[in-house]
Amino acid sequence: MKHRLLILLGLVSMAAQAQPTFSISFPASQSKTPLDGRVLLILSKTDKPEPRSQVSDAVETAQLFGVDVNGLQPGQGAMIDARVMGYPKRSLNDVAPGDYYVQAVLHKYETFKRGDGHTVKLPMDRGEGQNWRTAPGNLFSKPQKITLKAGQKQPFTVVMDQVNPTLPEPKDTKFVKHIKIQSKRLTEFWGRPMYLGAHVLIPAGFDEHPEARYPLCIFHGHFPSDFSGFSETPPPASMDTTDYIERFHVYGYKKIVAQEAYDFYKKWTSKDFPRMLIVEIQHANPYYDDSYAVNSENLGPYGDAIMYELLPEIEKRFRGIGQGWARFTYGGSTGGWEALAAQVFYPDEFNGCFAACPDPIAFDAYTVFNLYKDKNAYYAEGPFRRTPRPGQRNYLGQVKVTMAETNHRELVIGTHTRSGDQFDIWEAVYSPVGSDGYPKRVWNKLTGEIDSTVANYWREHYDLMHILRRDWKTLGPKVAGKIHIYCGDMDNYYLNNAVYLMEDFLKSVQNPPAQSEVAYGDRAEHCWNGDPTQPNYISRLRYNTMYVDKILKRIEANHPEGADLKSWRY
């Protein structure tokens, strides 16, 4: 028996020695000092686009491995072998022999000594909108072709001798202005200078009417590098239209987008279009491309910083009316949640919200499961079977990825909620701070087992339907008539499930009645925003014009005595 055990151990040792390994380093020419971060190794079957751009939730995704590094010295190798977790294959042992293109990236971390006493290492946004592929200063290697051979010891060396360049700041135009302020609240929280920015679309006649004061609309959404969907020039007639968008089954979508941007410019400057300010906020942070515009134990007081530092400065510089009756919010997806959350958490500061395809607004329907009653986020479990939960679908219900798969991708990109991706940012915003300074896990990222204590914290602080129900006696009079929600009934991320619950609540609540609007797009995917007359790929480009009539009606119906209803109507 002992002899057989020794033979078995010897075979295991030989197998381990026959595995491929990757030593990943950077030269002193890129940094003479040690670096912290996450080393990511990508294997793909093609180098077009680069492997780092092929990691996704799609079945065609590249293979990814990741390892944390602390104080990695120039020339020192970060090792990736069969013990390192990967996605979608769990281990290098599971990757089939064959030809691959390999590329490595170092996603740099910075040390933050926060005002709450915790010290954490996180990737500061550097103007790219929290993206490990393109973040300025991140190191990467050129793709190189390798061959993995079965049963052979193969040590590979990958050198990250390239660096992502810095990104230019957007420039002001006649209509689009940019603003950036250092936030006192966020600087105190993060222990280093922290900034908020915004792109502001000013109305036609702004300079010619210095007496005018304007209503303000916040267009919430993901990180905007500049004001999107507005162009003073039409697309050239000869513009290439061979590009194809699989999601919409449409050719020439880039030209469609360019034409819509020009059409918006023409409407914006037309005689009868109401004059107002439209704001897109830049609040990328060490966890994500935006903050969800609320106060958070892990991200800091972004809600108050936006509301009481950034908005007053915008309204001061660009002559906003600066009162709640003249402010509105709208947006889709993340922006849809933010629009509703701003209305709920700052009910007197806004006169209406238009939330399209919002991220889960009731955690009883946290995409496809009940965060409070279910035991596992990844599987529906019975006594004899576990069924994987879907993570994304198309309008036919065909599943693209499971909950486990998309969360495991995030885990490989970054530990401690540092992937900069969807489920991690929900956790970073909604969770309490853990003893290590990072967000408490709402579920085990590997197994999906839900922590009910953390889930209950989420309910009391960020479950918008629960908060509305719990506080309706005081909130109801302030938000009645202000809530508008739109969602496709085949939303790719199952976000319509929570909207159904919110609709039921808003229809049933009394004292006062909600006077809300909830509408659905038939077979519409993410992110349907309320126009049943247009295909989704068109209506999603028209946020800044879709709700204007409803905004004007709301102003007419709900404004204080002596309100300025004329100076901006020229």
Side-chain angles (χ1 to χ4, degrees), residues 223-518:
F223 175 84
S225 58
D226 203 342
F227 196 94
S228 58
F230 184 88
S231 175
E232 296 179 50
T233 57
S238 60
M239 184 174 176
D240 178 55
T241 57
T242 60
D243 59 295
Y244 180 72
I245 302 298
E246 175 65 29
R247 175 184 170 189
F248 302 130
H249 306 295
V250 170
Y251 282 98
Y253 194 55
K254 291 180 181 178
K255 187 173 183 179
I256 292 172
V257 171
Q259 185 63 51
E260 286 288 323
Y262 179 63
D263 290 346
F264 175 41
Y265 157 73
K266 290 191 294 184
K267 289 180 181 178
W268 185 252
T269 56
S270 64
K271 180 180 178 181
D272 296 328
F273 199 89
R275 310 309 180 192
M276 59 181 65
L277 304 171
I278 298 179
V279 175
E280 293 183 355
I281 299 174
Q282 281 191 314
H283 44 138
N285 56 78
Y287 280 104
Y288 198 51
D289 70 0
D290 78 11
S291 69
Y292 276 65
V294 293
N295 298 336
S296 163
E297 280 199 15
N298 295 290
L299 272 70
Y302 269 94
D304 287 353
I306 291 169
M307 195 69 245
Y308 303 123
E309 294 182 66
L310 181 63
L311 284 189
E313 186 63 25
I314 291 172
E315 289 170 329
K316 176 183 176 181
R317 292 194 196 183
F318 301 106
R319 306 201 307 267
I321 290 172
Q323 298 178 28
W325 67 268
R327 295 194 195 105
F328 296 82
T329 69
Y330 53 81
S333 193
T334 291
W337 192 93
E338 291 170 335
L340 180 58
Q343 188 66 77
V344 170
F345 291 126
Y346 302 94
D348 296 321
E349 304 294 350
F350 295 97
N351 201 7
C353 70
F354 302 84
C357 51
D359 289 359
I361 53 179
F363 299 162
D364 305 79
Y366 195 68
T367 66
V368 293
F369 62 94
N370 188 319
L371 186 63
Y372 310 126
K373 294 183 178 179
D374 287 321
K375 302 298 184 183
N376 195 290
Y378 300 165
Y379 301 97
E381 297 180 312
F384 303 107
R385 194 183 80 184
R386 306 173 84 215
T387 299
R389 299 189 193 276
Q392 295 178 38
R393 64 177 173 184
N394 64 13
Y395 76 98
L396 295 174
Q398 297 164 332
V399 175
K400 176 181 179 180
V401 67
T402 68
M403 282 288 297
E405 288 167 338
T406 191
N407 276 271
H408 288 168
R409 176 182 55 80
E410 291 188 4
L411 181 58
V412 174
I413 292 173
T415 57
H416 296 295
T417 320
R418 293 182 293 196
S419 72
D421 222 316
Q422 189 58 77
F423 286 94
D424 273 356
I425 185 54
W426 287 337
E427 188 169 74
V429 173
Y430 305 153
S431 283
V433 175
S435 59
D436 60 358
Y438 298 99
K440 282 188 177 180
R441 288 290 192 192
V442 70
W443 61 69
N444 184 304
K445 198 73 168 177
L446 192 61
T447 68
E449 183 181 355
I450 295 171
D451 185 325
S452 60
T453 301
V454 178
N456 287 332
Y457 179 92
W458 284 31
R459 182 194 339 235
E460 296 305 318
H461 294 82
Y462 299 102
D463 183 326
L464 298 183
M465 187 180 76
H466 172 76
I467 292 168
L468 283 169
R469 181 189 289 119
R470 181 192 67 198
D471 300 337
W472 190 254
K473 183 177 180 180
T474 55
L475 265 181
K478 297 181 178 184
V479 301
K482 295 182 179 182
I483 296 175
H484 309 259
I485 304 174
Y486 313 98
C487 196
D489 63 13
M490 289 301 291
D491 187 275
N492 303 88
Y493 306 96
Y494 305 89
L495 301 177
N496 50 302
N497 293 343
V499 175
Y500 296 147
L501 299 182
M502 180 67 83
E503 179 187 26
D504 291 343
F505 165 73
L506 293 173
K507 282 182 176 179
S508 64
V509 73
Q510 297 296 322
N511 300 318
Q515 303 176 52
S516 59
E517 176 193 20
V518 181

